[in-house]
């Protein structure tokens, strides 16, 4: 059996896109051409690689075996490319990141700094909600994943690199704003603007208030921190939000409430599948994040101190 890299890359494209037509479009091939290539690959393997159930393609056991090997080969070739680039003195390569939407408040700036040190680096950054990032993690689509709550499955290696303090915010003219101490029970009758179900911030909020026997009363569920901030500033309710989402935001008529037992401190973590060997570039970016964390923590703390007066 003699398979080519080209054939394996076509198979990976179809697997990742979920259909032959979408993969052909992304690869700038005609659908009949791609289908013929896949049939040839299946003939060489001696077993079918896909089966169609309803309108969707699903990998057969043979297909899963070939895709697994093709993925590992692709990763090894990328590592080889980066290693050779370093030996040549070319500090380049491609870094693929998938991050939860809350991290968009600081990761793009850090990427900019990282690329200034390594201008030849190509970056692919995908910002999604937590469920979508977890799907990419399960499919091993990226080099690194950044989130505050790693999944229980599949097995992952998670490296904490930055504190993620969650604070209670309200409109600046809210009756609780400006108080030096706010008991948690004072929030029991308040309505809340929350992130979507499944988000790490939403899960942390539900856990925190459940520990204090307070039932959250969601008035709005929104899919971004910016939308949450604007809704809170507009007086639509309180929220629990990452201090990093406030650290670089202008004063929008928002107050950070001095609620007992807050901030709720979680950790931003860099995640990748257990057993996956990081590329030299991914490892370099992880070390870069760890080096920059103290400054980011100071910025978030300064914003909290200013907001609380």
């Amino acid at each position: 059996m003699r398979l080519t890299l080209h054939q394996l890359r076509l198979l990976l494209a179809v697997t990742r896109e979920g259909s032959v037509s979408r993969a052909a479009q992304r690869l700038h091939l005609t659908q009949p051409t791609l289908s013929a290539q896949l049939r040839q690959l299946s003939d060489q393997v001696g077993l079918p690689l896909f089966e169609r159930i309803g309108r969707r393609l699903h990998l057969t056991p043979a297909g899963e075996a070939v895709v697994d090997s093709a993925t590992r080969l692709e990763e090894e070739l990328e590592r080889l490319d980066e290693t050779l680039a370093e030996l040549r003195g070319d500090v380049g390569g491609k870094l693929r990141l998938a991050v939860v939407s809350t991290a968009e408040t600081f990761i793009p700036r850090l990427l900019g700094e990282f690329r200034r040190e390594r201008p030849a680096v190509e970056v692919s950054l995908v910002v999604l909600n937590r469920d979508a990032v977890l799907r990419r993690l399960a499919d091993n689509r990226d080099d690194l994943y950044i989130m505050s709550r790693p999944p229980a499955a599949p097995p992952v290696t998670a490296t904490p690199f930055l504190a993620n303090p969650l604070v209670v915010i309200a409109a600046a003219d809210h009756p609780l704003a400006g108080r030096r101490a706010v008991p948690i029970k004072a929030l029991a009758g308040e309505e809340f603007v929350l992130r979507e179900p499944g988000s790490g911030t939403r899960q942390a909020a539900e856990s925190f208030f459940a520990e204090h026997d307070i039932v959250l009363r969601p008035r709005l569920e929104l899919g971004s921190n910016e939308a949450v901030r604007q809704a809170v500033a507009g007086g639509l309710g309180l929220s629990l939000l990452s201090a990093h989402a406030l650290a670089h935001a202008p004063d929008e008529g928002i107050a950070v409430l001095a609620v007992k037992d807050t901030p709720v401190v979680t950790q931003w973590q860099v995640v990748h599948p257990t057993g996956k060997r990081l590329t030299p570039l991914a490892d370099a970016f992880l070390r870069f994040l760890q080096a920059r964390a103290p400054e980011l923590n100071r910025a978030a703390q300064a914003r909290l101190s200013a907001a609380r007066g």
Side-chain angles (χ1 to χ4, degrees):
M1 181 176 64
R2 300 183 66 179
L3 308 181
T4 68
L5 282 174
H6 178 66
Q7 288 174 318
L8 295 176
R9 283 170 173 155
L10 295 181
L11 176 64
L12 288 174
V14 173
T15 302
R16 289 165 179 168
E17 294 297 328
S19 78
V20 175
S21 60
R22 286 198 297 271
Q25 185 176 20
R26 182 168 71 82
L27 296 168
H28 305 291
L29 297 172
T30 65
Q31 186 171 336
T33 298
L34 180 53
S35 295
Q37 293 275 358
L38 292 175
R39 283 194 299 271
Q40 184 181 24
L41 177 59
S42 181
D43 290 342
Q44 290 178 265
V45 171
L47 292 166
L49 302 178
F50 290 100
E51 59 183 351
R52 186 174 293 278
I53 300 176
R55 301 181 65 181
R56 291 185 58 83
L57 284 177
H58 295 267
L59 288 169
T60 63
E64 290 178 350
V66 176
V67 165
D68 183 55
S69 293
T71 301
R72 291 200 303 271
L73 179 59
E74 184 180 55
E75 292 172 354
E76 286 296 333
L77 289 173
E78 288 177 354
R79 275 191 286 270
L80 174 61
D81 186 52
E82 291 183 10
T83 299
L84 293 176
E86 289 187 351
L87 290 173
R88 291 192 302 264
D90 304 330
V91 188
K94 183 169 185 178
L95 178 65
R96 296 171 299 179
L97 299 175
V99 307
V100 297
S101 56
T102 302
E104 69 181 346
T105 57
F106 61 90
I107 287 296
R109 284 193 307 278
L110 291 175
L111 277 173
E113 295 176 22
F114 185 69
R115 284 202 71 234
R116 282 194 289 277
E117 296 179 3
R118 297 168 177 251
V121 169
E122 181 183 352
V123 175
S124 170
L125 173 64
V126 179
V127 180
L128 299 164
N129 64 32
R130 182 173 182 272
D131 287 344
V133 170
L134 292 183
R135 287 194 295 270
R136 292 183 71 91
L137 172 62
D139 293 338
N140 195 23
R141 298 279 299 274
D142 309 280
D143 296 313
L144 298 171
Y145 306 82
I146 295 177
M147 63 189 73
S148 60
R149 287 178 166 249
V156 298
T157 298
T159 305
F161 73 97
L162 179 67
N164 183 33
L166 304 176
V167 294
V168 180
I169 60 173
D173 59 357
H174 191 281
L176 296 177
R179 293 193 185 182
R180 292 194 173 183
V182 178
I184 297 177
K185 293 301 182 183
L187 308 182
E190 298 288 341
E191 292 183 316
F192 277 79
V193 180
L194 299 174
R195 288 294 305 268
E196 74 281 3
S199 78
T201 303
R202 173 69 173 264
Q203 291 176 352
E206 290 173 342
S207 297
F208 173 71
F209 287 107
E211 288 172 3
H212 293 86
D213 297 320
I214 293 178
V215 178
L216 280 172
R217 299 172 54 203
R219 184 173 185 179
L220 282 176
E221 294 178 346
L222 299 171
S224 74
N225 291 325
E226 176 62 24
V228 170
R229 285 202 307 264
Q230 294 297 331
V232 170
L236 293 177
L238 309 186
S239 190
L240 190 75
L241 206 62
S242 170
H244 292 289
L246 306 174
H248 298 277
D251 186 353
E252 300 170 328
I254 288 176
V256 176
L257 303 186
V259 177
K260 181 178 171 58
D261 294 337
T262 66
V264 179
V265 179
T266 61
Q267 291 285 329
W268 284 112
Q269 304 189 52
V270 179
V271 176
H272 60 85
T274 296
K276 178 175 181 174
R277 288 176 56 198
L278 294 184
T279 66
L281 189 56
D283 184 64
F285 185 65
L286 174 56
R287 287 185 278 107
F288 171 82
L289 291 179
Q290 292 172 317
R292 289 286 284 104
E295 183 179 340
L296 290 171
N297 281 327
R298 287 193 294 271
Q301 187 58 48
R303 177 66 177 88
L304 287 183
S305 299
R308 283 179 165 171

